Coordinates of all heavy atoms in Angstrom, one line a residue:
L109 N -2.9 16.0 -14.2 CA -3.1 17.3 -13.6 C -4.0 17.2 -12.4 O -5.1 16.7 -12.6 CB -3.7 18.2 -14.7 CG -4.1 19.6 -14.3 CD1 -2.9 20.5 -13.9 CD2 -4.8 20.3 -15.4
L110 N -3.6 17.7 -11.2 CA -4.4 17.5 -10.0 C -5.2 18.8 -9.9 O -4.6 19.9 -9.9 CB -3.4 17.3 -8.9 CG -4.1 17.1 -7.5 CD1 -4.9 15.8 -7.5 CD2 -3.0 17.1 -6.4
D111 N -6.5 18.7 -9.7 CA -7.4 19.8 -9.4 C -8.3 19.5 -8.3 O -9.3 18.9 -8.4 CB -8.2 20.1 -10.7 CG -9.1 21.3 -10.6 OD1 -8.9 22.1 -9.6 OD2 -10.0 21.5 -11.4
G112 N -7.8 19.9 -7.1 CA -8.6 19.5 -5.8 C -8.5 18.0 -5.6 O -7.4 17.5 -5.5
N113 N -9.6 17.3 -5.6 CA -9.6 15.9 -5.4 C -9.8 15.2 -6.7 O -10.0 13.9 -6.7 CB -10.7 15.4 -4.4 CG -12.1 15.6 -4.8 OD1 -12.3 16.5 -5.7 ND2 -12.9 14.9 -4.3
K114 N -9.7 15.8 -7.8 CA -9.9 15.3 -9.1 C -8.6 15.2 -9.8 O -7.8 16.2 -9.7 CB -10.9 16.0 -9.9 CG -12.3 16.0 -9.3 CD -13.3 16.8 -10.0 CE -14.6 16.8 -9.3 NZ -15.6 17.6 -10.0
V115 N -8.3 14.2 -10.5 CA -7.1 14.1 -11.4 C -7.5 13.9 -12.8 O -8.3 13.1 -13.1 CB -6.2 12.8 -10.9 CG1 -5.0 12.7 -11.7 CG2 -5.9 12.9 -9.4
F116 N -6.9 14.8 -13.7 CA -7.3 14.8 -15.1 C -6.1 14.4 -15.9 O -4.9 14.6 -15.5 CB -7.7 16.3 -15.5 CG -9.0 16.7 -14.9 CD1 -9.0 17.3 -13.7 CD2 -10.2 16.5 -15.5 CE1 -10.1 17.8 -13.2 CE2 -11.4 16.9 -15.0 CZ -11.4 17.6 -13.8
F130 N -9.1 10.2 -12.6 CA -9.3 9.6 -11.2 C -9.9 10.6 -10.3 O -9.9 11.8 -10.5 CB -7.9 9.3 -10.6 CG -7.1 8.4 -11.5 CD1 -6.1 8.9 -12.3 CD2 -7.4 7.0 -11.6 CE1 -5.4 8.1 -13.1 CE2 -6.7 6.2 -12.5 CZ -5.7 6.8 -13.2
L131 N -10.7 10.1 -9.3 CA -11.2 10.9 -8.2 C -10.7 10.4 -6.9 O -10.9 9.2 -6.6 CB -12.8 10.8 -8.3 CG -13.6 11.6 -7.3 CD1 -13.4 13.1 -7.6 CD2 -15.0 11.2 -7.4
L132 N -10.2 11.3 -6.1 CA -9.6 10.8 -4.8 C -10.7 11.1 -3.7 O -11.2 12.3 -3.6 CB -8.4 11.7 -4.5 CG -7.3 11.7 -5.6 CD1 -6.1 12.6 -5.1 CD2 -6.8 10.3 -5.9
F144 N -15.9 16.5 -16.4 CA -16.0 16.9 -15.0 C -15.5 15.9 -14.0 O -15.7 16.0 -12.8 CB -17.5 17.3 -14.7 CG -18.0 18.4 -15.6 CD1 -18.9 18.0 -16.6 CD2 -17.5 19.6 -15.6 CE1 -19.4 19.0 -17.4 CE2 -17.9 20.6 -16.4 CZ -18.9 20.3 -17.4
A145 N -14.9 14.8 -14.5 CA -14.3 13.7 -13.6 C -15.4 13.1 -12.7 O -15.3 13.1 -11.5 CB -13.1 14.2 -12.8
S146 N -16.5 12.7 -13.3 CA -17.6 12.0 -12.5 C -17.0 10.7 -12.0 O -16.3 9.9 -12.7 CB -18.8 11.8 -13.4 OG -19.3 13.0 -13.9

Side-chain angles (χ1 to χ4, degrees):
L109 175 66
L110 185 67
D111 184 15
N113 67 336
K114 298 176 181 179
V115 180
F116 293 89
F130 306 101
L131 181 69
L132 309 178
F144 303 110
S146 301

